[in-house]
């Protein structure tokens, strides 16, 4: 029997059923295409063999269903004379199973699905202010578009009012012309909490940064108590921190907006009180999570002086302290040509004698072990791409997370610090120690403390209770 002959023998309803079933047999295939097009997932599969296996099974199913449909059709067409029995009934069952599998995977991932308002945070933005420090922006998200206003000022009267002109979901209020060493108050829509913070100190000698990474909010095994204690230490006025940097893996699965909601609502109590900047980690970005990340932490409408990306920036603190935040999630996989050109050009313009500090998620040198057969120590791609560049351009300090430990490595005078201890489950004991490791700890949660002082920087690792674990002073 020929196809045309067969189709002519079918009732119109059967024609539609077969056509629609054939189209639907590609449902799982479409899912696979979507996952592949989100490039960050390919990096996930490279680093995580068990996720890769699951995805491989989905790929097989995606190919088998349409192939099964077609071969069943062809074989029956050759053998059978009864048009009613083509295609076999089990084909509909298989197509339905593919749709259910795809639906279940999407329900599991919940991509692009916003689950509610996100609380405000006081973000450091890539725009120089009049005091020689970066401007700040109060950023928050509302599920429904709305117009809001913010009042702020150096007295509790908060005489400066910033209005939104149009309804929007993403709200960015830039606080400009802030004066060093001054306490500011701000409030949203003239009601609720009056937040206050102190802008950066008059002298960069009194700057003090807190850095931590990898809280993994939303994971089943993260230590939320440690995260909370660290946030309390960092935001406490008694401790005098000028800024807080969080280096990624802020949530466990960035595609699940309920985790971002939980994370931001939790952090907001503290990150409305201290200038705050986070960078993207591998967990934050996968399965479309990068879009949430950009909307919540560096929206397009936030001023961006140094780059045209929402993921990499330069922040200057006075004339001599430069902090770069880079998009290095697993390693160099996200180090695009555009990012490389930008970074190398920016480095070239700086005096190598200035303090140049790099902050990003993925580690460079690191002690660790293998997970699923993949080594999580010395990332040779990162080392080959960056170490010489750092040496040539006078980079002094490099902070990262990704490995859940505290470590200090001095490699040829470049000081690498890993501080992935903000609450994500701590890493296993290393089976490999990197050569120039000066301090390693995988038994405590904690954060790093950078104190600028008279041309030196003292970096210490501290527990969530603020107990000193390690301290080193780095001379310029
Ligand atoms: Fe992590
Ligand atoms: Fe990570």
């Amino acid at each position: 029997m020929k196809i045309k002959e067969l189709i002519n023998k079918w009732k119109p309803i059967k024609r539609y059923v077969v056509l629609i079933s054939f189209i639907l047999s590609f449902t799982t295939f479409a899912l696979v295409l979507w996952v592949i097009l989100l490039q960050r997932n390919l990096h996930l599969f490279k680093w995580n063999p068990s996720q890769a296996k699951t995805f491989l099974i989905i790929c097989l199913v995606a190919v088998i269903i349409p192939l099964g449909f077609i071969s069943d059709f062809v074989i029956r067409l050759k053998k059978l004379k009864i048009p009613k029995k083509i295609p076999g009934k089990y084909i509909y069952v298989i197509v339905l199973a593919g749709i259910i599998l795809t639906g279940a995977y999407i329900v599991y991932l919940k991509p692009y699905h916003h689950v509610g308002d996100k609380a405000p945070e006081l973000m450091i933005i890539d725009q120089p202010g009049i005091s020689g420090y970066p401007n700040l922006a109060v950023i928050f998200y509302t599920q429904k578009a709305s117009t809001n206003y913010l009042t702020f000022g150096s007295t509790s009267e908060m005489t400066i009012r910033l209005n939104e002109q149009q309804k929007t979901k993403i709200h960015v209020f830039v606080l400009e012309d802030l004066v060093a060493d001054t306490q500011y108050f701000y409030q949203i829509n003239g009601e609720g909490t009056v937040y206050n913070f102190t802008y950066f100190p008059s002298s960069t000698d009194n700057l003090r940064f807190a850095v931590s990474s990898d809280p993994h909010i939303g994971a089943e095994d993260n230590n939320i108590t440690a995260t909370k204690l660290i946030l309390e230490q960092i935001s406490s006025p008694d401790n005098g921190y000028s800024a807080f940097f969080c280096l990624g893996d802020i949530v466990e699965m960035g595609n699940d907006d309920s985790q971002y909601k939980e994370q931001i609502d939790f952090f907001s109590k503290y990150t409305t009180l201290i200038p705050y900047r986070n960078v993207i980690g591998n967990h934050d970005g996968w399965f479309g999570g990068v879009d949430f990340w950009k909307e919540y932490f560096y929206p397009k409408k936030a001023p961006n002086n140094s780059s045209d990306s929402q993921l990499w920036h330069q922040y200057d603190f006075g004339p001599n302290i430069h902090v770069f935040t880079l998009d290095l999630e697993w390693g160099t996989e996200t180090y695009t040509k555009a990012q490389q050109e930008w970074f190398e050009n920016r480095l070239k313009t700086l005096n190598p004698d200035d303090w140049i500090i790099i902050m990003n998620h993925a580690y460079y040198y690191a002690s660790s072990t293998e997970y699923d057969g993949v080594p999580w120590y010395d990332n040779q791609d990162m080392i080959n791409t960056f170490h010489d560049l750092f040496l040539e351009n006078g980079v002094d300090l490099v902070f990262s997370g990704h490995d859940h430990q505290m470590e200090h490595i001095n490699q040829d005078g470049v000081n690498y610090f890993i501080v992935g201890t903000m609450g994500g489950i701590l890493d296993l004991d290393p089976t490999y120690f990197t050569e120039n490791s000066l301090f390693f700890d995988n038994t405590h949660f904690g954060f790093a403390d950078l104190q600028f002082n008279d041309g030196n920087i003292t970096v210490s690792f501290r527990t969530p209770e603020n107990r000193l674990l390690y301290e080193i002073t780095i001379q310029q």
Side-chain angles (χ1 to χ4, degrees), residues 86-378:
I86 305 174
K89 281 209 174 74
Y90 73 95
I91 284 295
Y92 298 117
V93 176
I94 291 171
V95 171
L96 189 66
I99 295 169
I100 291 169
L101 174 79
T102 305
Y105 199 62
I106 286 175
V107 167
Y108 162 68
L109 292 177
K110 308 181 199 99
Y112 312 122
H113 174 64
H114 287 277
V115 298
D117 296 350
K118 309 294 178 301
E121 300 191 284
L122 180 66
M123 307 300 295
I124 298 171
I125 54 168
D126 181 353
Q127 185 190 47
I130 56 158
S131 301
Y133 290 114
N135 279 335
L136 306 177
V138 176
I139 298 176
F140 59 97
Y141 176 92
T142 51
Q143 188 82 355
K144 276 192 183 158
S146 57
T147 47
N148 295 260
Y149 69 91
L150 178 138
T151 44
F152 82 103
S154 56
T155 63
S156 53
E157 276 80 53
M158 298 177 283
T159 49
I160 304 164
R161 180 172 166 141
L162 306 175
N163 294 304
E164 280 174 331
Q165 305 303 329
Q166 286 174 342
K167 280 189 173 184
T168 177
K169 293 181 176 182
I170 298 167
H171 308 276
V172 177
F173 293 97
V174 178
L175 312 185
E176 290 174 318
D177 302 335
L178 300 175
V179 176
D181 232 346
T182 302
Q183 188 181 30
Y184 285 92
F185 300 84
Y186 66 96
Q187 190 180 36
I188 296 159
N189 295 331
E191 57 186 21
T193 312
V194 175
Y195 305 100
N196 76 88
F197 67 95
T198 301
Y199 196 52
F200 303 104
S202 323
S203 163
T204 53
D205 259 354
N206 296 323
L207 272 176
R208 190 171 182 190
F209 293 163
V211 185
S212 198
S213 183
D214 296 73
H216 284 263
I217 303 296
E220 281 169 10
D221 51 10
N222 66 315
N223 188 324
I224 200 85
T225 310
T227 310
K228 185 170 183 285
L229 287 171
I230 291 167
L231 286 166
E232 282 172 0
Q233 293 297 344
I234 286 168
S235 61
S236 163
D238 297 343
N239 289 334
Y241 287 104
S242 330
F244 167 44
F245 296 88
C246 184
L247 307 186
D249 284 2
I250 205 156
V251 291
E252 175 70 2
M253 290 191 71
N255 49 280
D256 181 352
D257 193 46
S258 68
Q259 296 193 4
Y260 273 121
K261 175 151 181 64
E262 182 188 345
Q263 183 272 313
I264 295 170
D265 288 355
F266 175 46
F267 270 47
S268 169
K269 183 178 167 195
Y270 311 97
T271 49
T272 43
L273 307 178
I274 180 167
Y276 164 56
R277 168 49 46 204
N278 57 340
V279 304
I280 190 166
N282 55 310
H283 279 258
D284 306 322
W286 68 43
F287 296 108
V290 64
D291 295 332
F292 289 140
W293 194 96
K294 287 175 180 172
E295 284 178 355
Y296 302 151
F297 305 117
Y298 218 110
K300 265 198 186 119
K301 62 173 78 166
N304 189 359
N305 185 60
S306 86
S307 83
D308 54 7
S309 166
Q310 295 163 266
L311 298 175
W312 59 81
H313 300 99
Q314 179 183 338
Y315 304 98
D316 296 326
F317 294 82
N320 306 322
I321 298 168
H322 315 283
V323 174
F324 285 93
T325 54
L326 301 179
D327 174 20
L328 299 165
E329 298 168 32
W330 296 96
T332 55
E333 294 85 355
T334 44
Y335 193 50
T336 57
K337 199 98 203 120
Q339 187 178 186
Q340 182 185 359
E341 270 173 25
W342 168 83
F343 182 45
E344 291 184 4
N345 285 335
R346 302 297 300 190
L347 274 180
K348 265 184 229 155
T349 64
L350 299 178
N351 179 350
D353 291 337
D354 287 354
W355 287 112
I356 302 175
I357 302 170
I358 311 297
M359 299 204 190
N360 65 268
H361 184 67
Y363 55 80
Y364 302 71
Y365 296 93
S367 304
S368 189
T369 185
E370 292 182 2
Y371 293 93
D372 265 342
V374 179
W376 280 65
Y377 40 81
D378 286 359

Side-chain angles (χ1 to χ4, degrees), residues 449-465:
D449 167 348
L450 275 85
Q451 277 183 271
F452 296 77
N453 189 2
D454 213 11
N456 300 327
I457 299 181
T458 299
V459 180
S460 57
F461 286 126
R462 294 172 177 277
T463 67
E465 297 79 19

